[in-house]
Amino acid sequence: AARLADVQRQLLAAPLSRRQRDALSDRRALLELELAELGDGDVEPIADRPPAFASLTAVRQALQPGEAMLWYSIAPWQDLYDEFGGGAWVLAATRDQVRVHRLSTRVELDAQVSMLAGLLQRRDARPATWTPAASRLGHTLLAPALASLPASTARLVIVSDGPLHRLPFEALRHDDDPRTLGE
C-alpha cells in the first residue's frame, strides 16, 4: 500500500513526460493487482454444517462443451515406511469421458514448482530464463492429460494439490508449442 501511495504521489507531482507517466501508470496497475491479491484479511465464518462435496458426475455435468477439468492428486509414491504413499496422478474429465494418468517425476515436484515460481517472480526475467523450467513442468503435468482430451477443448479448469497450489499453470508450456498454456 505504501509503494502504491508513493507511485500515486509521483503521478500527481511535477509534470512528467508521456513515457514517465505511462511507466508509472503501469507500475500503479501492477501494485493494485498485488494489493488486491493480498485481500483485506476478512475470514468467512465457519458454516454450521460441512459443505456438500460435488460428485464426479455432477462436476462432469457442469462442464460446458469444449471445457475440461484437470484434477491433480500429489503424494509420494512411497511413504516413510516404504509402503505405497498414493503417488501422483491427474484426472482429466470432460462431459463425455474421464481418464486417469500417472504422473512420473524424476525430481520432486515441490522443488520444480519453487524454482519456476521464483524465476517468474522476477518481473525483469527474460523468457529464455524460465521457459526451460516451464516446458519441463508442462511436459510432466500436462502431456498425459492433454493428449487424452478432445481437440475441441478450449478451456481448462485446474484443480491443484500440494505444491501445485503455488504453480502458475498459465506459464507452463506443452510440447514444442511456443505459447504458454495461458496464451
Side-chain angles (χ1 to χ4, degrees), residues 17-144:
S17 70
R18 179 76 174 159
R19 196 168 95 192
Q20 289 172 320
R21 182 167 301 286
D22 289 346
L24 284 171
S25 294
D26 290 345
R27 181 164 169 78
R28 182 187 64 202
L30 286 173
L31 289 169
E32 287 171 344
L33 286 172
E34 288 178 9
L35 189 60
E37 286 179 5
L38 292 175
D40 57 11
D42 291 342
V43 177
E44 292 289 322
I46 297 174
D48 292 339
R49 54 192 148 98
F53 288 96
S55 68
L56 182 56
T57 301
V59 169
R60 288 178 60 204
Q61 289 171 350
L63 292 172
Q64 300 300 312
E67 200 172 46
M69 178 187 71
L70 301 183
W71 177 75
Y72 291 89
S73 177
I74 307 298
W77 286 100
Q78 289 185 318
D79 66 11
L80 295 173
Y81 305 103
D82 289 330
E83 300 289 330
F84 177 66
W89 307 88
V90 59
L91 180 136
T94 65
R95 288 181 77 106
D96 303 320
Q97 70 178 21
V98 176
R99 302 271 195 277
V100 178
H101 307 278
R102 179 182 175 151
L103 297 176
S104 55
T105 59
R106 294 186 190 132
V107 179
E108 286 294 319
L109 278 175
D110 197 17
Q112 292 181 50
V113 169
S114 293
M115 182 184 67
L116 179 59
L119 290 170
L120 291 171
Q121 280 181 338
R122 295 198 52 213
R123 297 196 191 276
D124 62 341
R126 294 185 337 258
T129 306
W130 55 267
T131 297
S135 294
R136 275 192 305 279
L137 260 175
H139 179 75
T140 299
L141 298 173
L142 299 172

